[in-house]
Structures are given as C-alpha cells and as structure tokens.
Amino acid sequence: MLESILWIVLMGFFVGQIARRLKAPALAGMILVGLMLGPQVSQVIAPSVLESADDLRTIAVMVILMKAGLGLDRDKLDQQGNVALRLGFLPATFEAITVALVSMWLFQFNFATGLLLGCIIGAESPAVIVPGMLRLKSLGWGVKKGIPDAILTGSALSDVLLLLVFSLLLTFLAQGTMQGVTIGALTFTRLQLLPFQIIIQIGLGMLVGWLTAKGLVAVLRKQNWTQNTVQDSLVSAGIALLVVVLAKHLPIFSGYLAVMAAGFFVTTLDAPLSRRLRQGFDSLWTIAQIFLFVLLGANIQLDVLENQFLPGLLLLAIGTLGGRMCGWYLATLGSNWNWKEKLFLLPGNSAKATVQAAIGAIPLAQGIAGGETILAIAVLSILVTAPLGAWAIPTFAPRLLEQGEVDPTKVVVERQIKILAAIDDSPLSKKVLAKAAELARRGDAEVIVLHVDRAENPQIIGQLQIQAQTVLADIRHKFITDTGAVAEAILATAQQSEIDELVIGKRGGFGQFLVGSVSQAVLEASTIPVVIVE
C-alpha cells in the first residue's frame, strides 16, 4: 500500500504538472497516470488501495464541496437564486430524459433502463466544476452577476435530484416493481413520493449544514480548541466527513449538500474563520485531487468501450447539445444573463467525473440488463467531458464572461507579493533588510534589494550583498544595483518590478524634516505603501 501511495502522489503530481505546462488540464495527466498504474496496464496500484478508492473519493469530494461552500457569495445567490434553483433541476432533467429516449433507439433499452443511464450521465462533476468556478471567482470572471455562484449551487442541487431518481429506478429494475408505501389509510408509490423525498433531502441537508456550521464556529472560535489553520482545517474536515458518513447510514438528507451548506453558513456566521478554512482546504485539495483523479483513472475499464465508443459519443453529444441546452435556455429565461453568458454554460456546466465513477458500475453489479453498456457510457463520459470541461472553463470564460472586481472575502486570491528594500552603505541598511524579511515571512513574499550607487563601488556592493544574503537567508530574494538619482531609481524599480510594498530607511538628524530628503521624496511620489525604518 505504501508503494502504491508513493506512485500515486509523485506520478500524479508531476504528470499533472507536465499536462499543465502543455496547456492541458492537470487532471488529464492524473487520469492518464491512473490508467497506466491501474489493473488495465501495469497493475502497480495494490488491490487494497483500489478497494479503498470509493472511500478516498468520498474524502476528496467532501473537500471540494466544502471549498465550494466557503466560496459562495450570499449577495450573489440572493441576486441569482431563481436561476440557481432552475439550473439545479432543468438541465439535468432534460439531459436525463433525452439520454433515455436516445438510448432506446441506439441500444434498444426500455425507458426505465434508459432513464437510469440518463441519471448517471446527467450528473455534474463537483471535482471539475467547483475548482473551475472558484478559479473564475478569484480572477473576477462573471462575478458581477454571480454566474459562478449560480453554477456551483445548481450543480449541487442537480446531483441530489439525479441520485434520488437513480436509487428509485435501481430498486424498480432490480425488483421489477415499485413497491408502495402506506401512510395511514393512504398508499403511495415510490414515484409519487419522489417530490417529497427531494424536498426532504434538500431541506434536511440545509438544516444539517447549518447545525454543522454552528458547531464548527463554537468549537473553533468560541471554545478555542484549535491554535492554527492546520488544526482548524483538520477538525472541520473530520466533522464534514462525519456528516457524509452519517448521511450514508441515514439517507434522509443529502450529505454532500449538507457539507456545501456548512461551508456557506460558516462564511455567514464567522467570516474570519471561513477565510482560515479556505486556506486550509485549498491545501487539502492539493493532495486530495491527486488521489481522486488517479484512482478515477485506475478504475476506468477501457475494455468495455470497444463496442460502444461511437454510439456512446453520439449519445453524449445529443444529450448535451440537445437536452441539456434546452434546460439551460429555460433556466436562464427572463434573467439578466446575456447570450454570451448563457453560452458559457456549455463549457462551464457539462463536465462528468466523480458521480459517474461512483455509480456507473452499480447497475452491472446488480445484474441490471444493459449494465455493461451503461458502464461503458459512464466511462466514456469521464474520459471525454472531464478533461474537456477542465480545459474549456478557463479558456472560454475570458471570451464569454465580463470581468468584475474580485471579492477577497469569498475566495483565496493567489498572488506573489513583492517587497522592495532600498538600502545604502549606512548602519541603517541592516534594519531595513530585517524589516523587509519580517514582512516577507508573513506572506511568503519575495524581496528585491536595491542599492543605488553612483560611484559603483565594488567593495561596498560586495559587503551589502553579503549582508542581504545573511539577513534574507530564508527569503526568496535578489540583489540589484542602479545608478543615478536615488529617489527616481527607487520609484522606477518599484514600478518596473510591480512592487507591492517598499521599505526604506530614514536619514538625517535633528535639523531635518520628519524624514530625510530621499525618503521624503519617495513617500510623496510613491503609489504603493512605504515603510520607513528609523
């Protein structure tokens, strides 16, 4: 098992980065690694790890849904709530029905079996959609109208709907009948109870999410059981995973929806805590996504695709371009979305992966007629739509969505901070370097050390380089020199290097102004924050 984990982590990471450098989604490289390491090719991954794939996949999906909830914007959901609700039901419903009808023609399924396939194919992948939408939010694409938030919420709701219908159809096809349920003097069929089950699943999921959020705030903030972000994240992940496991034993509420709701309510109840958790779950997702997509690739059965490849592609195309697009049109009808934003739903709301991997093989395992074909189409949907969706979301967002102002209170904005430390040959230079180092360690920033020397004295420059290397030994930094007017050189370097903060020493004695002539000039002309060290 240990060797398998090493192969998964190291090859998954590096091949994913190779794919990224080739302008392909990282998950495509990870899925490829899974195929190569899995039982289809080299059989490197131990059977015990493959047997644990469902549990590991559950952990990874929990992490990404918690990330999604922590990134939701309540104001944008209030603005787009009606669209989000319709996105949760209409596209999935239309695609599932379209797939059912087309499969009756292509594979001679009956309608119930076709609809079972439609429920599998129609489910959207949180592992692809959630990172994609959060990435758009961190860059500002579509945030003005809350488009990423609407897609995130709709995706979670649609999976609740389709999984409920899937379980209902599975019972019917396995038993040959939908047994009725008697409540008092009335008897209802499972189909008649389905709307009530959906409402109960969503309602109780939201309630459990709210209670979970209240518990997290009480434990992590009010009772102060934790001391740092790592502990906050581990406790939150453990409690969220407990909610998912509890939902499996008590399937009266949606565990995944509860986790996403918990993240959303934490943001509402305690924004500082949600910021810490966003950072922690970003780190957890870094490793969780490797296991998710590598094991996804390892569980793909390529041999089942041989006879169903072309019909499967046709089915996916008709289901997406026909059924799902009708649902998108009705979901956004009457909204403030323009035609480009509506068109973005094609790349932004079509990816399949996690749900298909989780339930695609169940019909075959339970002896449902056509189970092998269902598994083949599920596998094909992963191989085609997951890499395509991960590539298409960032590719088409700049072309179809409007870029707005990024809200740093809802997402983690990844940006390399740069600090400029301007030093001379005075004793104050060591204090300037020490202050720059202190600031850099707070945010893992890079420091650029600038020395302006009109005489270009090699001895002084060498001494300052040694001093900078000593003080900034654990900081990414570089040493540069310039000539000419000192204040102008400092300001020009700050602009050219896109500096975020400038550290400079105060010069002069009792008879001068508040600061020295150089620092005074820099302070008056600078457009970025300036720290003056005495």
Side-chain angles (χ1 to χ4, degrees):
M1 177 179 287
L2 182 59
E3 291 179 3
S4 298
I5 291 174
L6 287 172
W7 279 108
I8 290 170
V9 172
L10 294 177
M11 284 197 65
F13 174 78
F14 283 109
V15 176
Q17 292 306 306
I18 291 172
R20 191 188 301 276
R21 294 187 179 191
L22 295 174
K23 307 302 181 182
L27 68 85
M30 296 174 190
I31 291 176
L32 179 61
V33 167
L35 287 169
M36 298 301 295
L37 298 181
Q40 299 290 312
V41 183
S42 61
Q43 300 181 1
V44 171
I45 300 178
S48 57
V49 175
L50 293 175
E51 291 170 3
S52 304
D54 286 342
D55 293 332
L56 294 171
R57 188 181 297 116
T58 297
I59 296 173
V61 174
M62 175 276 296
V63 171
I64 196 60
L65 288 176
M66 191 71 172
K67 271 173 57 70
L70 291 167
L72 287 177
D73 188 326
R74 183 169 187 169
D75 293 334
K76 296 298 188 294
L77 283 180
D78 289 340
Q79 176 186 346
Q80 297 291 344
N82 187 29
V83 175
L85 187 63
R86 284 185 281 170
L87 281 174
F89 294 94
L90 294 177
T93 300
F94 274 83
E95 183 175 16
I97 293 174
T98 302
V99 167
L101 295 175
V102 174
S103 65
M104 294 172 66
W105 164 55
L106 287 175
F107 309 117
Q108 287 73 53
F109 285 174
N110 58 42
F111 182 75
T113 304
L115 191 57
L116 186 73
L117 174 60
C119 290
I120 296 174
I121 300 303
E124 300 154 24
S125 172
V128 178
I129 292 175
V130 172
M133 293 304 111
L134 293 180
R135 178 65 175 166
L136 295 189
K137 292 188 67 173
S138 70
L139 297 173
W141 295 112
V143 296
K144 186 175 181 181
K145 294 183 181 180
I147 292 172
D149 294 279
I151 293 176
L152 284 172
T153 306
S155 177
L157 293 176
S158 70
D159 286 350
V160 173
L161 167 67
L162 291 180
L163 288 174
L164 278 174
V165 178
F166 173 81
S167 61
L168 175 68
L169 289 168
L170 199 64
T171 302
F172 168 72
L173 291 169
Q175 297 178 353
T177 181
M178 288 190 183
Q179 297 179 350
V181 176
T182 301
I183 303 176
L186 301 176
T187 299
F188 299 92
T189 66
R190 299 276 183 185
L191 187 61
Q192 290 172 329
L193 289 175
L194 181 62
F196 299 100
Q197 288 180 289
I198 294 172
I199 294 172
I200 292 172
Q201 287 262 335
I202 294 175
L204 288 180
M206 297 292 288
L207 176 61
V208 172
W210 181 77
L211 293 174
T212 302
K214 292 283 287 186
L216 288 174
V217 172
V219 170
L220 303 180
R221 299 295 289 182
K222 296 181 180 179
Q223 301 299 324
N224 293 321
W225 284 89
T226 57
Q227 290 80 44
N228 53 55
T229 301
V230 174
Q231 292 179 345
D232 286 343
S233 304
L234 288 177
V235 171
S236 301
I239 293 176
L241 188 59
L242 179 63
V243 169
V244 175
V245 173
L246 183 62
K248 290 186 177 181
H249 293 288
L250 297 173
I252 58 174
F253 70 95
S254 170
Y256 288 135
L257 181 62
V259 168
M260 187 171 172
F264 171 72
F265 287 123
V266 166
T267 302
T268 304
L269 296 171
D270 195 315
L273 175 60
S274 70
R275 179 183 59 81
R276 287 162 63 93
L277 291 181
R278 274 195 295 272
Q279 295 173 342
F281 275 87
D282 273 356
S283 300
L284 289 176
W285 175 241
T286 300
I287 183 68
Q289 66 175 330
I290 296 175
F291 279 93
L292 175 65
F293 292 116
V294 171
L295 291 176
L296 190 64
N299 282 278
I300 288 175
Q301 301 181 31
L302 294 177
D303 54 328
V304 303
L305 291 176
E306 184 176 355
N307 298 323
Q308 308 297 346
F309 184 77
L310 292 179
L313 284 179
L314 180 61
L315 178 73
L316 292 174
I318 296 175
T320 301
L321 299 178
R324 183 165 280 270
M325 287 190 73
C326 289
W328 290 329
Y329 172 78
L330 294 176
T332 55
L333 189 65
S335 69
N336 62 344
W337 294 27
N338 59 43
W339 70 270
K340 287 186 176 181
E341 292 160 344
K342 294 178 182 180
L343 185 60
F344 176 71
L345 288 170
L346 178 59
N349 191 232
S350 304
K352 330 285 184 183
T354 41
V355 176
Q356 289 71 24
I359 66 176
I362 293 178
L364 179 61
Q366 295 200 4
I368 304 296
E372 186 170 339
T373 299
I374 292 175
L375 176 59
I377 305 304
V379 169
L380 185 63
S381 69
I382 296 170
L383 291 175
V384 173
T385 66
L388 190 60
W391 166 80
I393 289 172
T395 300
F396 287 98
R399 295 171 172 83
L400 300 175
L401 301 181
E402 178 184 352
Q403 190 171 27
E405 185 177 354
V406 178
D407 185 354
T409 67
K410 298 297 185 293
V411 291
V412 176
V413 181
E414 297 181 1
R415 183 169 174 267
Q416 179 63 55
I417 303 300
K418 292 183 180 180
I419 298 171
L420 177 63
I423 63 174
D424 55 17
D425 58 349
S426 71
L428 199 56
S429 63
K430 187 171 183 180
K431 291 186 177 181
V432 171
L433 291 171
K435 186 62 179 179
E438 176 192 339
L439 296 173
R441 291 187 185 104
R442 295 178 187 176
D444 193 28
E446 177 186 357
V447 175
I448 296 177
V449 182
L450 171 66
H451 173 61
V452 182
D453 187 355
R454 297 177 181 177
E456 299 187 49
N457 190 321
Q459 184 177 359
I460 294 177
I461 292 174
Q463 292 173 351
L464 292 176
Q465 284 180 316
I466 294 173
Q467 188 178 63
Q469 179 62 43
T470 302
V471 178
L472 302 173
D474 62 332
I475 306 295
R476 289 188 300 274
H477 69 278
K478 62 180 179 179
F479 187 97
I480 60 176
T481 61
D482 201 350
T483 59
V486 179
E488 287 80 353
I490 292 172
L491 293 170
T493 302
Q495 183 178 11
Q496 293 168 4
S497 301
E498 299 181 345
I499 297 298
D500 298 282
E501 197 163 356
L502 197 158
V503 184
I504 191 172
K506 174 183 176 181
R507 295 293 303 275
F510 177 80
Q512 291 188 326
F513 293 105
L514 176 64
V515 291
S517 58
V518 172
S519 50
Q520 179 71 36
V522 171
L523 188 62
E524 291 177 351
S526 176
T527 58
I528 60 175
V530 179
V531 177
I532 297 179
V533 179
E534 293 192 82

